[in-house]
Amino acid sequence: MQQRIKDILHRGQLGDRVTVRGWVRTKRELKECTFVNLNDGSTLAGLQVVIPNTLAAATPWIKNLTTGAAVEFRGELVLSPGKGQALELHAQQMHLWGAADAESYPLQKKRHSFEFLRTIAHLRPRTNTLGAVMRVRNACAMAIHQFFQERGFLWVHTPIITASDCEGAGELFTVTTLNLAQPPKTPAGEIDFSQDFFGRRAYLTVSGQLEAEIMATALTNVYTFGPTFRAENSNTSRHLAEFWMVEPEMAFCDLKGDMELAEAFLQFVFRSVLDHCAEDLAFFQERIDNSVMATAEQMASQSFARLSYTEAIQILEKSSRPFEFPVAWGLDLQSEHERYLAEEYCQRPVIVYDYPATLKAFYMRLNEDGKTVAAMDVLAPKIGEIIGGSQREERLEVLQQRLASQGLDPAPYWWYLDLRRYGSVPHAGFGLGFERLVQFMTGMDNIRDVIPFPRTPGNAEF
Ligand code: ATP
Ligand code: MN
């Protein structure tokens, strides 16, 4: 039976007969034999395969044994005289599944830039870095589900197509089947979306939160984990047009409970990835960012700092740092401010809470002071905001006032307001950008390199 290289490297015994399939990373021809490094994506390290000259001579397709080819080997595990591995595979039979044109294969042995690799997203998963990213991503996803499942949260599936702009923030992609060359028009000359597929204008969702609140006010503790879309035309290393978001929502929970959950959640995920992907993290530590391991250990074991927004502003005002953006109570924290707080002032992740109401969405719960809302952001060193959350406004009249003060039409929110009419309870939740988490964990500079097929302005190939 075919075995995965990870299992062979971890559990293989001298003398085991094994069959492996994978893609050739490198080939070295020596006088007595040929060495192939074979990788099947199960682990960072490939399996060293030794092909004796007698086998090579008896193989008509031997010239096709090149970097990039898909090959199967059968043979026996023997002690490896070389360094780097305890055992190697002494090949007795081999089979070519798919040749790779050696002249044009773009992944040569030299290191390629991540920019270049993005242009060959169909082949870049075969590189060490992208392979390691995908394994860490998978381990993060597993850990996220495990964390919530062990605590009795239900995974709920919120819609991708939605008619409500959750944040009132714009930046939405429209979903339409109207004839774009000749769209129907209203008497006022605007596009008549009432004739569109859904009988109204529809969008790709920017968040599952409002629907998650529906589910939490029936099922108590829920979470979403799915794709989210923002048509923001910002070419940064932290923004994608399509990304994955994790959004827990808890009934009978206040901001304090929300912050505690966010902290326990991140600690759990980091611990789990340290346990399951140590080899990949060590790779990132060595090749990408030499603080990866220390950061992961710190995230897994240390408590987070906490600062109110008001305290954070005071700290920033007192710092001698020449910030590019102004600092004053009532202004939003920019990435440089967030990073200063986490990296320098606290030297660990910090949760900033109780933001000015004017900066935050209408659904965040108004505090006693009438000026701030029960919002919180988890700020991580190097990344800045990784989680944004809040306690939700559960009082009907206050919520109606908040909609009005933000100039929002309450009509489309009738069902959201209904939740405050029928069995309303304090509830809270947060949103974690999944790719930001993977980026933070791996130390990768650009968010485009932690998702298999990044969607950004101008880029939707593959
Ligand atoms: P930012 O200020 O960084 O743009 P935001 O305030 O727009 O973030 P939220 O609306 O609170 O973010 O979304 C919740 C989480 O989703 C954020 O904490 C972040 O981790 C992630 N996120 C937001 N926008 C993007 C994006 N365009 N690409 C990837 N992740 C994102
Ligand atoms: Mn944003």
Side-chain angles (χ1 to χ4, degrees), residues 167 171 206-207 230 232 234 238-245 247 332 338 360 363 377-378 385-389 430-437 447:
E167 315 262 332
E171 302 178 346
V206 295
S207 161
R230 307 245 169 126
E232 49 200 349
S234 53
R238 305 179 309 126
H239 290 90
L240 292 163
E242 176 180 296
F243 63 100
W244 285 64
M245 186 123 83
E247 294 179 282
D332 214 351
E338 298 178 341
K360 294 290 185 181
Y363 52 74
D377 283 353
V378 180
E385 178 185 336
I386 185 165
I387 281 181
F430 62 76
L432 164 91
F434 185 59
E435 284 75 20
R436 295 253 178 110
L437 173 72
I447 198 165

Side-chain angles (χ1 to χ4, degrees), residues 33-336:
C33 61
T34 299
F35 286 107
V36 161
N37 185 281
L38 193 75
N39 193 290
D40 68 357
S42 59
T43 185
L44 190 67
L47 181 67
Q48 171 145 292
V49 182
V50 188
I51 302 161
N53 282 346
T54 46
L55 178 59
T59 304
W61 52 266
I62 193 69
K63 66 171 191 332
N64 288 321
L65 188 71
T66 61
T67 298
V71 192
E72 172 176 326
F73 294 101
R74 286 162 192 262
E76 191 178 324
L77 294 182
V78 299
L79 285 176
S80 176
K83 56 177 170 17
Q85 64 275 319
L87 297 174
E88 60 192 22
L89 177 62
H90 186 89
Q92 290 155 347
Q93 289 172 32
M94 50 188 187
H95 171 72
L96 178 70
W97 284 91
D101 177 28
E103 300 278 281
S104 62
Y105 189 60
L107 288 175
Q108 298 305 329
K109 209 182 167 191
K110 73 178 176 93
R111 253 198 239 178
H112 299 287
S113 73
F114 291 124
E115 288 79 8
F116 170 70
L117 290 177
R118 275 173 228 144
T119 68
I120 51 164
H122 59 310
L123 296 170
R124 72 175 185 163
R126 300 186 190 184
T127 62
N128 279 340
T129 308
L130 267 289
V133 163
M134 292 311 140
R135 285 185 296 274
V136 168
R137 211 182 139 96
N138 173 68
C140 282
M142 287 293 293
I144 286 166
H145 283 299
Q146 192 188 348
F147 176 84
F148 289 121
Q149 293 295 325
E150 282 177 358
R151 283 159 187 76
F153 284 63
L154 296 194
W155 181 22
V156 296
H157 304 92
T158 49
I160 287 171
I161 298 175
T162 170
S164 65
D165 167 3
C166 160
E167 315 262 332
E171 302 178 346
L172 295 132
F173 287 102
T174 296
V175 178
T176 182
T177 55
L178 291 178
N179 176 358
L180 294 181
Q182 263 179 318
K185 296 280 176 70
T186 62
E190 287 171 343
I191 295 177
D192 184 6
F193 284 101
S194 73
Q195 294 187 46
D196 204 348
F197 190 90
F198 297 104
R200 61 173 74 191
R201 189 162 183 178
Y203 309 94
L204 293 177
T205 185
V206 295
S207 161
Q209 182 201 317
L210 301 192
E211 288 93 352
E213 285 186 54
I214 296 180
M215 303 310 276
T217 51
L219 304 164
T220 304
N221 290 337
V222 301
Y223 66 106
T224 71
F225 188 175
T228 315
F229 307 85
R230 307 245 169 126
E232 49 200 349
N233 204 349
S234 53
N235 260 306
T236 79
S237 59
R238 305 179 309 126
H239 290 90
L240 292 163
E242 176 180 296
F243 63 100
W244 285 64
M245 186 123 83
V246 180
E247 294 179 282
E249 190 71 33
M250 296 157 288
F252 309 103
C253 181
D254 60 10
L255 187 70
K256 188 161 168 290
D258 200 32
M259 293 196 281
E260 280 162 9
L261 187 87
E263 179 171 338
F265 166 73
L266 286 175
Q267 285 174 339
F268 181 92
V269 173
F270 274 87
R271 175 57 61 206
S272 180
V273 174
L274 275 167
D275 289 347
H276 291 103
C277 281
E279 188 193 33
D280 292 316
L281 289 185
F283 169 83
F284 290 113
Q285 159 96 14
E286 194 189 309
R287 292 290 187 85
I288 303 294
D289 173 354
N290 63 13
S291 65
V292 158
M293 279 301 200
T295 305
E297 275 298 340
Q298 189 188 44
M299 290 293 292
S301 51
Q302 258 197 15
S303 63
F304 298 177
R306 283 177 204 202
L307 293 173
S308 71
Y309 168 87
T310 304
E311 289 169 319
I313 291 294
Q314 286 163 358
I315 290 162
L316 293 168
E317 280 173 340
K318 277 194 215 126
S319 96
S320 50
R321 186 58 65 90
F323 293 116
E324 189 186 334
F325 292 92
V327 174
W329 203 97
L331 296 183
D332 214 351
L333 298 181
Q334 301 295 324
S335 181
E336 57 173 349

